[in-house]
Amino acid sequence: MLELHLHLDGSLRPETVWDIACTENIDLGCYNAEDVKNKMICPPDCRDLNEYLDKFTLPLMVFQKASHIERFAYELTQDLAKEGLEYAEIRFAPSSSMKDGLSQTEVTEAVISGIRRAMKECPSITVSLILCCMRGSDNHALNIETINVAKKYLGKGVCAIDLAGAEAIFPTSDFEDLFRHAFKLDIPYTIHAGEAAGPDSIAAAIDFGAKRIGHGVNCIYDPELIERIIKENVTLEICPQSNIDTKVFPNVNDYPIKKLFDMGVKISLNTDNRTVSNTNLPHEISLAHRFGMTDSDIETMWKYAKEAKFN
Ligand SMILES: [Zn+2]
């Protein structure tokens, strides 16, 4: 098994979040680790991606010091190895961990150090990192810095960049210059698109040169776009539980994973946020079965993921 779409800050162990909050005297408004866990998990009445993203406020409160960031990266890599993954691409936004004075370089070095420590102990897994630029109106300089840090560590722990955040508020088309810059620097990229916005968002990401799309499920409304995705060999990073949480399809039975797969779209299966969506790959596999995927389809999805991995 392998996964290509997994956010570090959405996949922290709640007991570690609680431990750090106690040690550092950080008031999370929680009583114990169980309470932390309940507050980190997306509730069933979550209405959309914007509400889902609120769930990242709490983990980011304890994701500001290099030693803690290193520990979280180490633990997630351990968790993935224990689950039986042979390869994973973990993503995070270095610019979200600068509140206590860390630079994006220091944040990235802490994560690299954590995954390397775990890989030494668990040689069955290889982990590579994707640095996320963040959607927003006033963070252009921070995003350019993220790309420059990705260049610095490309092939030395980092394999690509991404664009994450509130897609319905900040459209993909506003961020072309970031991907021009990344293209010039020869940095591969994936882009969150077609999750909280429609087919135009996906088309813009492909126009920018993305060969992988985070989610992309809303392409189902545009047959011509689906043809383009197939023709241009774009792989979709599908995250079923996360899409259920954010109500991408009002009727969960409309989830189009099987339909897209049968049309010939290359799909990989992912968790997105293991803690926030209270999921893991075995759970995503059971959801894929529920949506009509066979064992053989799931094998093919691992193959697609292998072909599309950045490292
Ligand atoms: Zn994501």
Side-chain angles (χ1 to χ4, degrees):
M1 292 192 295
L2 59 165
E3 78 169 310
L4 306 181
H5 192 124
L6 169 59
H7 294 261
L8 176 55
D9 51 341
S11 306
L12 309 184
R13 287 184 194 167
E15 56 271 29
T16 305
V17 172
W18 177 244
D19 183 35
I20 291 171
C22 293
T23 316
E24 298 283 346
N25 261 327
I26 299 168
D27 183 9
L28 301 175
C30 298
Y31 304 104
N32 52 38
E34 193 57 29
D35 193 25
V36 168
K37 186 179 176 186
N38 291 335
K39 287 210 169 78
M40 286 173 75
I41 295 174
C42 171
D45 63 352
C46 171
R47 280 176 299 185
D48 55 23
L49 179 64
N50 296 332
E51 266 190 35
Y52 185 84
L53 293 175
D54 283 346
K55 287 284 152 192
F56 291 79
T57 307
L58 190 150
L60 284 173
M61 288 169 78
V62 295
F63 202 74
Q64 302 295 332
K65 279 199 174 164
S67 59
H68 304 327
I69 293 168
E70 196 271 354
R71 179 178 172 188
F72 284 123
Y74 167 79
E75 289 180 349
L76 178 57
T77 304
Q78 272 193 327
D79 293 344
L80 301 178
K82 213 177 280 173
E83 200 172 288
L85 272 75
E86 61 189 84
Y87 178 84
E89 287 172 8
I90 296 177
R91 60 186 77 191
F92 64 101
S95 64
S96 299
S97 295
M98 301 171 73
K99 288 190 184 74
D100 286 353
L102 288 181
S103 67
Q104 295 199 47
T105 294
E106 287 166 329
V107 177
T108 304
E109 282 184 352
V111 179
I112 292 173
S113 162
I115 62 165
R116 285 201 176 141
R117 180 158 68 98
M119 283 193 285
K120 239 183 223 169
E121 289 175 22
C122 316
S124 59
I125 189 166
T126 303
V127 170
S128 208
L129 302 173
I130 297 175
L131 305 193
C132 299
C133 298
M134 292 305 293
R135 292 174 192 269
S137 54
D138 56 357
N139 48 2
H140 181 74
L142 285 172
N143 283 334
I144 292 290
E145 172 67 6
T146 303
I147 296 168
N148 292 339
V149 172
K151 178 66 182 174
K152 189 170 162 192
Y153 293 96
L154 197 66
K156 300 168 200 147
V158 172
C159 62
I161 63 153
D162 175 30
L163 176 65
E167 186 190 8
I169 302 172
F170 305 105
T172 301
S173 52
D174 288 356
F175 298 91
E176 181 174 8
D177 50 344
L178 295 182
F179 295 97
R180 273 213 193 126
H181 185 56
F183 185 81
K184 254 191 240 155
L185 295 178
D186 229 0
I187 303 170
Y189 39 91
T190 176
I191 300 177
H192 278 74
E195 177 190 19
D200 287 356
S201 181
I202 303 164
I206 299 174
D207 287 345
F208 298 167
K211 287 291 173 195
R212 272 172 41 187
I213 301 290
H215 303 285
V217 281
N218 280 334
C219 71
I220 196 68
Y221 302 113
D222 186 341
E224 276 177 29
L225 178 62
I226 293 174
E227 257 175 52
R228 186 179 174 201
I229 288 170
I230 296 166
K231 209 170 126 201
E232 297 189 24
N233 201 27
V234 173
T235 301
L236 303 186
E237 305 156 1
I238 301 257
C239 312
Q241 183 60 53
S242 168
N243 291 166
I244 292 169
D245 290 343
T246 61
K247 314 293 185 294
V248 176
F249 296 92
N251 181 347
V252 80
N253 295 320
D254 292 338
Y255 198 68
I257 183 170
K258 175 68 173 163
K259 206 168 166 186
L260 291 170
F261 179 86
D262 285 346
M263 289 169 97
V265 176
K266 289 188 172 173
I267 283 172
S268 69
L269 190 65
N270 306 275
T271 61
D272 205 10
N273 297 291
R274 285 164 171 258
T275 308
V276 175
S277 280
N278 197 19
T279 187
N280 54 26
L281 271 185
H283 174 71
E284 300 295 342
I285 292 168
S286 71
L287 283 175
H289 279 135
R290 178 181 155 192
F291 294 124
M293 306 291 282
T294 65
D295 286 341
S296 148
D297 295 343
I298 289 165
E299 277 307 313
T300 305
M301 286 200 288
W302 303 137
K303 185 178 80 88
Y304 288 155
K306 244 180 216 175
E307 288 167 1
K309 70 190 180 74
F310 285 130
N311 191 5

